[in-house]
Amino acid sequence: MVKIKKSQLKDIFDLLKKEYRVVGPVLKDGVIQLDYIESFNDLPSGYTQVEEKSFYKTEKNGEGFFSYSRPSLPYKRFLMPPEFTFLSIKKENGKLKFEEKIPDKKTAFFDIRACDLKAIHILDDVFINKNKHPDPYYKAVRENIFIVAVTCFSPSDVCFCSSMGIKLKPDRGFDILLTELDDCFIVEWGTEKGKNLLESLHYEKILEKDLQKINKKLKETQKKIKRYVDTQNLPQILYSKIEDKHWEDIGRRCLACTSCTQLCPTCFCFDIVEKNFPLEKRSDRVRVYDSCFSPTFATVHRFNIRESIASRYRQWLMHKFAYWTDQFGEFGCVGCGRCITWCPAMIDITQEIKNIRESR
């Protein structure tokens, strides 16, 4: 753990650019999104978000460099894109030629907060660590990712990450961790890759007063988190309420638009489609995002086992807070609050869990 000047943050970015494609937050169309960035100045420094149920806006009044919260888009889009070809089949000289599309480009995630960092760990379990048949595409992408994490001092009003046991200052899973103070950045490395990247930087020793400032800021930030989910015995309670009438109430409001699943950093469901190109004598096998809210998702032959929207919402919430614990030993939600902000029906998952807990 060392201390660098504020001006040296650009040096870290420039070092990354020499070896990696850099993905980070950008301000586009009035929304802090994610994209490949070429310049340090592309980062939305000084901006902050105002978020509530079905409400979002940005303001230029943030304090500090990392004044904004997590981006509206999840980092999963760069680990498993919404659509990508993973296999091409071509006929050449009367024979079929199979070509796997395994990516090999190196990418750096610059400025990832604790909620999104945890989401990547969850996806790692889904696709690699707790999967008897690890996904070769995801594994190849993941092995080429460099992570620059940032301690979060700017949660939005929809965040409930602390309910999900997530620390504002992550303690693992990063190559480099940046913690912003008024006059400097505290830098930690979590891997040899991170340590090697920082070797050329001039830095100072961290002081006890710096650690005290961090602890003070963490306590102040924790108080800003307004939403809360009581997770005590939650899977068991949800299983006991699987036939509860409140699901129908949610179903009458939910539009089944799939917004929550597209923006959720841990939703991983996908479909596989074939794209045929007869003139080229080629067929591509393509993976595309799917959603448990889609009418065809639970169709077996010609029968849909979840025809009602209520049953689809129940499947989504139960998976995050009950089924996931059986599959992977932890919740499938990181409390980022994106599903609250971007739900056009103004459904607040924290309130719905509370309603289901209290229903009789």
Side-chain angles (χ1 to χ4, degrees):
M1 186 183 293
V2 297
K3 180 164 59 174
I4 64 171
K5 296 177 181 178
K6 289 253 178 163
S7 59
Q8 290 178 280
L9 183 62
K10 184 178 183 302
D11 297 335
I12 294 177
F13 181 89
D14 291 341
L15 287 169
L16 284 170
K17 280 295 294 178
K18 291 179 180 179
E19 191 175 353
Y20 300 89
R21 301 179 301 169
V22 178
V23 172
V26 294
L27 183 63
K28 185 178 180 181
D29 300 326
V31 178
I32 296 176
Q33 305 183 32
L34 271 183
D35 207 343
Y36 292 104
I37 53 180
E38 296 299 324
S39 168
F40 180 74
N41 295 326
D42 291 338
L43 295 163
S45 174
Y47 281 88
T48 188
Q49 299 115 294
V50 179
E51 297 187 48
E52 251 304 334
K53 290 191 290 186
S54 196
F55 180 86
Y56 181 100
K57 73 173 181 177
T58 54
E59 294 178 344
K60 179 70 173 177
N61 63 354
E63 296 180 3
F65 187 88
F66 294 114
S67 52
Y68 47 89
S69 184
R70 56 24 188 179
S72 60
L73 296 174
Y75 281 83
K76 74 175 182 182
R77 296 176 69 88
F78 296 89
L79 289 168
M80 41 173 292
E83 179 176 325
F84 63 89
T85 299
F86 65 94
L87 180 68
S88 277
I89 307 166
K90 195 169 185 178
K91 191 172 185 180
E92 293 181 353
N93 301 321
K95 295 182 179 180
L96 294 179
K97 180 182 178 182
F98 295 81
E99 182 185 359
E100 282 190 285
K101 302 287 187 178
I102 301 297
D104 58 3
K105 291 184 178 180
K106 300 170 75 173
T107 304
F109 291 164
F110 191 88
D111 181 14
I112 182 168
R113 307 300 167 95
C115 57
D116 281 332
L117 187 59
K118 175 62 177 179
I120 290 178
H121 297 161
I122 289 173
L123 292 178
D124 287 350
D125 282 347
V126 171
F127 288 106
I128 304 174
N129 301 331
K130 297 182 180 180
N131 193 324
K132 293 181 180 179
H133 306 282
D135 185 311
Y137 181 95
Y138 182 93
K139 189 172 185 290
V141 175
R142 186 69 177 91
E143 288 173 349
N144 282 298
I145 296 292
F146 188 100
I147 291 179
V148 179
V150 172
T151 299
C152 183
F153 293 133
S154 51
S156 76
D157 287 348
V158 298
C159 294
F160 57 99
C161 55
S162 56
S163 295
M164 308 315 300
I166 294 171
K167 300 175 182 178
L168 297 167
K169 182 178 181 294
D171 52 18
R172 68 183 184 93
F174 53 82
D175 295 292
I176 294 174
L177 173 66
L178 301 170
T179 302
E180 183 174 12
L181 296 179
D182 292 339
D183 57 348
C184 66
F185 285 104
I186 306 302
V187 185
E188 301 172 48
W189 51 83
T191 64
E192 283 299 312
K193 282 194 301 181
K195 184 179 181 181
N196 293 338
L197 186 86
L198 297 170
E199 278 183 341
S200 62
L201 289 182
H202 173 74
Y203 48 78
E204 304 172 29
K205 288 185 178 180
I206 190 170
L207 304 175
E208 181 61 32
K209 67 177 183 179
D210 297 319
L211 296 175
Q212 291 173 359
K213 286 179 183 178
I214 292 173
N215 289 331
K216 182 182 178 184
K217 286 192 73 172
L218 287 171
K219 289 177 182 178
E220 291 171 350
T221 304
Q222 193 66 53
K223 294 176 182 177
K224 296 178 184 177
I225 298 175
K226 300 179 179 180
R227 279 178 165 78
Y228 170 75
V229 169
D230 182 359
T231 58
Q232 186 174 6
N233 298 323
L234 184 56
Q236 292 81 2
I237 290 169
L238 289 174
Y239 279 126
S240 71
K241 301 290 183 73
I242 203 163
E243 299 295 338
D244 196 274
K245 292 182 179 179
H246 186 66
W247 299 114
E248 296 298 329
D249 174 65
I250 302 173
R252 284 188 287 270
R253 290 177 281 136
C254 176
L255 304 175
C257 68
T258 79
S259 173
C260 52
T261 56
Q262 305 302 309
L263 292 170
C264 175
T266 63
C267 277
F268 59 84
C269 291
F270 61 85
D271 196 3
I272 294 175
V273 298
E274 301 286 343
K275 289 191 175 182
N276 299 312
F277 305 89
L279 296 178
E280 301 176 28
K281 297 182 179 180
R282 188 182 96 240
S283 178
D284 287 348
R285 189 156 291 178
V286 182
R287 189 186 296 188
V288 296
Y289 280 4
D290 204 351
S291 171
C292 51
F293 285 93
S294 298
T296 58
F297 184 85
T299 298
V300 181
H301 299 295
R302 62 187 180 89
F303 300 100
N304 189 343
I305 62 175
R306 295 193 202 103
E307 290 187 349
S308 71
I309 292 178
S311 65
R312 294 175 213 162
Y313 188 93
R314 179 180 63 189
Q315 163 64 23
W316 178 68
L317 190 145
M318 291 287 294
H319 190 200
K320 295 293 178 189
F321 294 93
Y323 309 151
W324 211 299
T325 63
D326 294 335
Q327 289 176 287
F328 304 108
E330 60 184 340
F331 292 111
C333 173
V334 296
C336 71
R338 290 181 177 98
C339 60
I340 301 171
T341 301
W342 298 102
C343 176
M346 300 181 71
I347 296 173
D348 181 343
I349 192 171
T350 64
Q351 185 61 48
E352 300 310 332
I353 290 174
K354 184 174 183 292
N355 291 342
I356 291 168
R357 267 188 172 277
E358 296 174 351
S359 65
R360 301 192 178 188

